[in-house]
Amino acid sequence: MTPIDPDRSVDPQAGPRIDRSRNPEPPFDKLTIGVCPDQWGVWFPEDEKQIPWRTALGEMAQAGFSVMETGPWGYFPKNARELQSVMDEHGFQVVAGTGWGILHKEEAWPETERTFRAIAETHAAVGAEYMVHLPPMYRDEKTWEFTDDRQLTGDAWKRYVTNANELGRIMKEDYGLTMVLHPHGDSHIETPEEIARVFEATDPELVSFCLDTGHIIYGGGDPIGMIDEYPDRIGYVHIKAFDPDLTREAHEKDWPFGEAVAKGASVCPPKGLPDMKDLVAKLATMDKELYVICEQDLYPCDPALPLPNAIATREFLADCGLGIR
């Protein structure tokens, strides 16, 4: 993990900016809080319902964040020099890129590899350490229509495993990045059983795991218990909460994930599950350097919502031991 520079400043005329990303007090001193565009209601590189990236970036700094996972490829500048410049301007260290890519279809693999190589090249150049792989959803994120089978079987499953390992190898050997697979609602890596299946089949030297606490709750899992069960596989964290009653209703009525989000399933802690105090305390027991990226699924949202909402979330998490107020 690259040390955080405490002297990063949003405005050179304003003097050094306080680094709120890490609590210096044990046992929380190995946990670093960050943010990504999801916290600002961003799911796509471009969308008329989303906040412009320059506005979001300024608000992220205003909210007290200084560590960034860049989110959808193309939301922020793709060019490494331009990306570095705008992140420096706002006092951010980029620690991860985010990519969406199909692994289980032979005809889709070349495009997935090209996309991830492009993202990796830019992010390695700006000092990132991780690449988050977002799985394709089996229902369209906007129309909510089915686009794939719910479960991977046979050759599709074998291809998924082979390509997950290969993508992890490419990221590691060619770009020096650690690839983390990300669980997601309405995807092939959602439930505890599906996550366990992926762990059993993939190479831990090549494929790490993003503990997305909200999506694990949505998939019927226990993120705190998962820390005990798979401490060596967890290399990165997305910290967020889901309303258990809306989550239950979503599955009972088979809502698309996007519909569940639109109805308010993703919530601002301390609402929802997991219990953040217990979660942060459990993360601290792992006794290893971890980026913990703050998220809340908000697409689409009122553009006035993300800033005060994110400040409240960051400050609450600081009270739980993650970062400082």
Side-chain angles (χ1 to χ4, degrees):
M1 177 177 283
T2 304
I4 304 298
D5 179 0
D7 293 327
R8 279 171 300 154
S9 174
V10 175
D11 181 353
Q13 304 300 319
R17 176 180 166 198
I18 297 173
D19 176 22
R20 305 179 187 279
S21 67
R22 188 183 291 228
N23 182 344
E25 298 296 325
F28 305 107
D29 54 330
K30 292 186 178 180
L31 305 178
T32 300
I33 190 171
V35 72
C36 75
D38 184 55
Q39 184 71 44
W40 260 253
V42 174
W43 280 7
F44 307 102
E46 295 181 4
D47 188 283
E48 62 183 10
K49 297 179 181 179
Q50 294 178 168
I51 297 171
W53 71 264
R54 289 187 182 276
T55 302
L57 185 57
E59 290 186 355
M60 289 173 180
Q62 187 179 345
F65 293 102
S66 59
V67 171
M68 178 70 72
E69 177 190 324
T70 56
W73 175 234
Y75 180 66
F76 290 127
K78 292 182 177 182
N79 177 272
R81 288 186 179 180
E82 187 178 355
L83 181 62
Q84 187 72 69
S85 177
V86 298
M87 291 297 164
D88 286 348
E89 179 185 348
H90 290 84
F92 276 96
Q93 174 183 339
V94 175
V95 299
T98 319
W100 177 96
I102 297 172
L103 298 176
H104 64 287
K105 296 181 179 180
E106 184 176 3
E107 67 276 14
W109 169 249
E111 180 60 28
T112 295
E113 181 181 353
R114 280 193 297 270
T115 299
F116 272 79
R117 283 189 179 277
I119 301 171
E121 184 174 356
T122 290
H123 285 76
V126 300
E129 301 167 56
Y130 292 88
M131 175 64 73
V132 181
H133 175 274
L134 288 175
M137 297 164 68
Y138 52 71
R139 286 192 268 211
D140 187 272
E141 292 173 90
K142 293 185 177 181
T143 68
W144 301 343
E145 297 295 326
F146 277 91
T147 58
D148 205 346
D149 296 330
R150 283 182 180 267
Q151 294 182 326
L152 295 181
T153 58
D155 289 342
W157 166 246
K158 293 176 183 177
R159 196 170 292 115
Y160 175 91
V161 172
T162 297
N163 287 337
N165 285 331
E166 177 62 7
L167 190 59
R169 184 197 65 77
I170 291 170
M171 294 297 102
K172 180 178 182 178
E173 294 182 1
D174 293 359
Y175 303 98
L177 300 173
T178 299
M179 188 188 76
V180 292
L181 291 180
H182 182 294
H184 203 290
D186 278 2
S187 83
H188 300 121
I189 175 171
E190 176 180 9
T191 67
E193 294 77 18
E194 289 165 345
I195 293 170
R197 185 187 187 202
V198 169
F199 285 164
E200 290 168 5
T202 54
D203 184 344
E205 295 298 315
L206 302 175
V207 178
S208 187
F209 184 69
C210 173
L211 183 80
D212 187 299
T213 62
H215 281 286
I216 290 168
I217 291 292
Y218 189 82
D222 172 13
I224 295 175
M226 193 171 285
I227 294 169
D228 281 330
E229 193 170 0
Y230 304 109
D232 296 334
R233 293 305 296 262
I234 297 168
Y236 192 82
V237 180
H238 283 173
I239 189 167
K240 63 183 171 190
F242 267 70
D243 180 284
D245 293 329
L246 274 174
T247 294
R248 188 179 308 110
E249 185 176 2
H251 289 298
E252 288 174 351
K253 297 180 178 179
D254 197 26
W255 293 345
F257 178 74
E259 184 175 358
V261 168
K263 290 182 175 179
S266 184
V267 294
C268 177
K271 295 178 182 177
L273 294 175
D275 181 286
M276 290 301 173
K277 290 186 178 180
D278 290 346
L279 174 68
V280 173
K282 179 60 72 172
L283 288 172
T285 68
M286 295 180 73
D287 194 31
K288 65 180 179 181
E289 301 283 347
L290 280 173
Y291 291 119
V292 184
I293 306 300
C294 192
E295 285 195 333
Q296 185 177 345
D297 287 311
L298 293 172
Y299 176 87
C301 69
D302 181 334
L305 171 64
L307 178 57
N309 184 71
I311 291 173
T313 299
R314 189 190 60 74
E315 291 184 345
F316 174 74
L317 292 175
D319 292 342
C320 294
L322 180 60
I324 59 174
R325 269 183 168 264

